[in-house]
Amino acid sequence: VDSMAEGVVELQNGCACCSLADELFTSVERLTEGGKRELDAIVVELSGVADPVAVRDNWEKAKLQGHPATKLADLQRTVTLVDSSTFGTDWMTYDVAGERESWIEPGDECSAIRKVPELLAEQVEAAQLLLINKIDLAGENQAKVASGLARGMNENASIMEVEFGKVDAKELLGKAFGSTVDISHDHSHHDHSSECNEPACTDESHSHSHDHTSDCSDPECTDASHSHSHEHTSDCSDPECTDASHSH
């Protein structure tokens, strides 16, 4: 069923993750007009109790079955929105989704029995990008707890702390929207704690200091950065030796 917004399709017959979800694939065909309409990206917004891994698995099954929609589009990334104002307490709860008001659709018994922490873990672990939202409401401590928990569950995802879900489209969609940086990896911190030993490297951010802790024993070496001191712990017994550094 098309909503009032142009280019938006609402899935009415069940969620996208419970089965092969033919409606999802049909909607992709409709939005792309069977491949005649070029789109930068299609955003599939799942419910708060959906399992992104199941959606991904269903799509892969459809590809194996040769579904036409999988020739028109592909799943590239998963973005999980984390409510930082409630994430810490929800992670510690024993509630199931059916006990939360408005979390599930009437009659959705499959989702109703899901444990809340289990749902949170599945959604965070599946993401390439984690948006820690509502940091203005959560405050510094709660936002820190939410970010720390999310990072602990998914150390490979990029994390962004946002307010009101505001994020640049290029950050949200990555390469699909023309971003030149693959933000499926966190590039905010480059740890060059170890020195670079590549002689041809010209990256100024690398440390190219060369520590020669051992003496150089090559008699023909002329590298001034090498240590050429020669320590002779035993006396020299050569009667014709004229080296003043030797002990005679």
Side-chain angles (χ1 to χ4, degrees), residues 158 181-183 185-195 203-207:
S158 293
V181 178
D182 183 1
I183 64 169
H185 300 283
D186 187 355
H187 293 97
S188 59
H189 303 284
H190 298 279
D191 182 12
H192 298 285
S193 57
S194 60
E195 295 183 349
D203 190 337
E204 295 181 356
S205 67
H206 290 193
S207 172

Side-chain angles (χ1 to χ4, degrees), residues 147-223:
S147 295
L149 282 172
R151 172 58 71 204
M153 285 184 269
N154 188 344
E155 61 181 12
N156 295 318
S158 293
I159 291 184
M160 297 179 62
E161 295 185 350
V162 298
E163 300 178 8
F164 301 100
K166 293 181 179 178
V167 59
D168 188 273
K170 290 185 178 180
E171 299 285 349
L172 184 66
L173 301 176
K175 291 182 178 179
F177 207 66
S179 174
T180 57
V181 178
D182 183 1
I183 64 169
S184 63
H185 300 283
D186 187 355
H187 293 97
S188 59
H189 303 284
H190 298 279
D191 182 12
H192 298 285
S193 57
S194 60
E195 295 183 349
C196 176
N197 296 318
E198 173 58 52
C201 178
T202 58
D203 190 337
E204 295 181 356
S205 67
H206 290 193
S207 172
H208 296 102
S209 62
H210 301 280
D211 183 14
H212 301 277
T213 57
S214 59
D215 289 339
C216 177
S217 59
D218 185 353
E220 298 183 1
C221 178
T222 58
D223 190 336

Side-chain angles (χ1 to χ4, degrees), residues 6 8-9 34 47 68 120 125 132 139 144 168 187 192 203-204 241:
E6 182 181 358
V8 176
V9 175
S47 71
L120 298 179
E125 290 171 355
I132 312 300
K144 185 177 181 179
D168 188 273
H187 293 97
H192 298 285
D203 190 337
E204 295 181 356
C241 177

Side-chain angles (χ1 to χ4, degrees), residues 85-158:
S85 66
T86 62
F87 191 72
T89 53
D90 282 344
W91 178 247
M92 300 298 293
T93 187
Y94 291 97
D95 292 354
V96 295
E99 295 174 336
R100 297 298 183 92
E101 184 178 358
S102 302
W103 270 44
I104 63 171
E105 295 293 330
D108 186 2
E109 298 301 327
C110 175
S111 299
I113 62 175
R114 302 294 304 280
K115 296 178 180 179
V116 170
E118 181 181 87
L119 291 169
L120 298 179
E122 288 176 347
Q123 295 173 2
V124 169
E125 290 171 355
Q128 282 82 46
L129 173 62
L130 292 166
L131 298 179
I132 312 300
N133 194 31
K134 298 184 180 180
I135 59 172
D136 54 319
L137 295 178
E140 183 178 352
N141 290 337
Q142 278 188 306
K144 185 177 181 179
V145 168
S147 295
L149 282 172
R151 172 58 71 204
M153 285 184 269
N154 188 344
E155 61 181 12
N156 295 318
S158 293

